[in-house]
Amino acid sequence: MKKKSKLRIKSMPRFISFSLMSLAILIIIGIASVTLVTHVASAINNQKEKYQASALLVDASTDETTSDQDIQTKADAEVTSDANTDEAQQTGTDDPLESIKIRLRNNDTEGLKVVFLTFDDGPSDHTGEVLDILNTYNVKATFFTIRHEGAEAEASYRRIVNEGHTLANHTSSHDYDLYSNPEAFYADVNALDQYQRQITGLTETSHIFRFPGGSINANETCVLGLVKQGWNYADWNVSSGDGGSDPPASDVVAQTIICGCHEHDVSVVLCHAESKPDTRAALSTVIETLQAEGYTFLAMENDFTYPRQLEV
Ligand SMILES: [Zn+2]
């Protein structure tokens, strides 16, 4: 039997055994090719995802706040457009700045890196210097002014408006005693409103208000009365610490502001830079540092919600 079997194998036609061997080799080559192609495709895909992820990181930290930067590769532009698609679905716009504003209007602020710089009690002899620094970085801010007279003050009111900042109201007299007489208080606010319109030629002001000393120093009657007259009021959640008679050195002021902004999705920074040289010196450091970290500086608008010490 064994012999017979051997004979049968031996007697198998040579071309059949050759074909079987060829088929086996072809199958092995086929499997190897498919495996190789799969591996290469997967490696390319991984590489692409890594690139997109790193580009997205760059995009998140820079492009959103420096939309006017013209150094942007085609790849960056494509990734930016991908990143903004999600934002567009949420906010209905692919303009990053407008998207941030829509989120502020909806009070959808989680993860936002927005800073409102505010300067109280001006204009003063130094407002021009503050405006020059802001212009250097194309940063818009908010000026809670009181009534100051004279050619230089008038020029400052106009520059604030003409250079795209928000001219806001901090009463005409900055007199805390007015809180005990609501009607006199409203009249003082409206006197400044009229004065600002007269100097700047604005037909309508921002109707954004900050109580002297913050809303916590006012009372519910005055706060509620002002809100009913159509005013939006803003306190602050970051203080530069420059309000005292002996302000700290500029590097301390800068660090105070930067650290304060790191703690909030939306920061409202209280400065009295109008008359404090150390805050003015700190301003460039603050803006450069926070812009590099992806923060966006905005001027206040009436339909955003701001931090308040006294809510009514
Ligand atoms: Zn003040």
Side-chain angles (χ1 to χ4, degrees):
M1 289 296 284
K2 274 183 183 174
K3 204 178 175 184
K4 208 177 178 184
S5 162
K6 243 182 179 175
L7 275 174
R8 255 188 206 163
I9 292 167
K10 272 193 173 173
S11 66
M12 186 183 285
R14 200 169 263 185
F15 80 92
I16 292 181
S17 82
F18 179 74
S19 297
L20 282 173
M21 275 178 65
S22 301
L23 187 64
I25 290 167
L26 280 174
I27 288 170
I28 290 165
I29 290 172
I31 291 169
S33 302
V34 168
T35 311
L36 185 66
V37 167
T38 309
H39 274 283
V40 168
S42 159
I44 290 171
N45 220 26
N46 282 348
Q47 208 54 32
K48 195 177 161 191
E49 279 171 10
K50 272 184 196 168
Y51 170 71
Q52 285 183 337
S54 66
L56 271 170
L57 279 176
V58 172
D59 174 55
S61 64
T62 55
D63 290 349
E64 202 161 288
T65 49
T66 53
S67 57
D68 55 345
Q69 272 187 351
D70 49 11
I71 307 165
Q72 196 179 36
T73 64
K74 195 185 169 197
D76 280 340
E78 282 168 3
V79 172
T80 301
S81 119
D82 285 349
N84 287 337
T85 305
D86 293 341
E87 194 81 353
Q89 283 168 355
Q90 287 173 17
T91 59
T93 175
D94 56 2
D95 175 352
L97 201 60
E98 190 53 33
S99 174
I100 290 172
K101 290 185 178 184
I102 289 169
R103 290 188 57 191
L104 285 166
R105 284 180 197 119
N106 295 334
N107 213 10
D108 167 26
T109 58
E110 196 180 333
L112 275 185
K113 295 166 89 172
V114 168
V115 177
F116 293 99
L117 291 174
T118 67
F119 300 94
D120 284 14
D121 305 345
S124 78
D125 298 346
H126 306 297
T127 299
E129 197 184 332
V130 171
L131 289 167
D132 290 344
I133 295 170
L134 296 173
N135 278 347
T136 302
Y137 299 97
N138 193 27
V139 160
K140 304 303 177 196
T142 303
F143 293 80
F144 287 97
T145 78
I146 57 174
R147 183 185 177 106
H148 289 286
E149 296 174 356
E152 195 176 350
E154 290 182 12
S156 291
Y157 286 114
R158 290 190 196 102
R159 267 196 73 183
I160 289 168
V161 171
N162 294 339
E163 292 174 18
H165 306 285
T166 296
L167 182 63
N169 193 311
H170 195 42
T171 72
S172 189
S173 64
H174 206 279
D175 182 359
Y176 285 33
D177 290 343
L178 290 168
Y179 294 141
S180 60
N181 184 346
E183 291 308 319
F185 167 72
Y186 306 142
D188 198 66
V189 172
N190 287 312
L192 181 73
D193 188 70
Q194 190 183 0
Y195 183 67
Q196 287 179 334
R197 280 187 278 123
Q198 177 197 322
I199 300 296
T200 62
L202 287 171
T203 51
E204 200 59 68
T205 60
S206 67
H207 272 66
I208 299 172
F209 183 77
R210 176 170 286 157
F211 292 87
S215 60
I216 200 75
N217 273 293
N219 53 61
E220 285 195 9
T221 307
C222 288
V223 174
L224 198 58
L226 211 63
V227 169
K228 281 183 177 171
Q229 291 179 39
W231 291 83
N232 186 0
Y233 67 100
D235 288 316
W236 57 89
N237 55 14
V238 177
S239 176
S240 65
D242 70 349
S245 56
D246 185 20
S250 64
D251 57 336
V252 176
V253 173
Q255 280 313 306
T256 302
I257 295 173
I258 291 164
C259 292
C261 291
H262 287 164
E263 291 176 15
H264 304 281
D265 296 324
V266 177
S267 297
V268 176
V269 182
L270 170 66
C271 297
H272 296 84
E274 311 294 336
S275 54
K276 302 293 196 305
D278 285 325
T279 306
R280 298 201 301 277
L283 207 49
S284 299
T285 306
V286 167
I287 294 170
E288 283 177 21
T289 304
L290 292 176
Q291 278 188 334
E293 292 174 357
Y295 285 80
T296 300
F297 290 86
L298 289 177
M300 285 184 164
E301 295 186 17
N302 192 285
D303 49 4
F304 300 159
T305 302
Y306 303 105
R308 293 167 164 182
Q309 299 159 352
L310 180 63
E311 196 70 65
V312 289

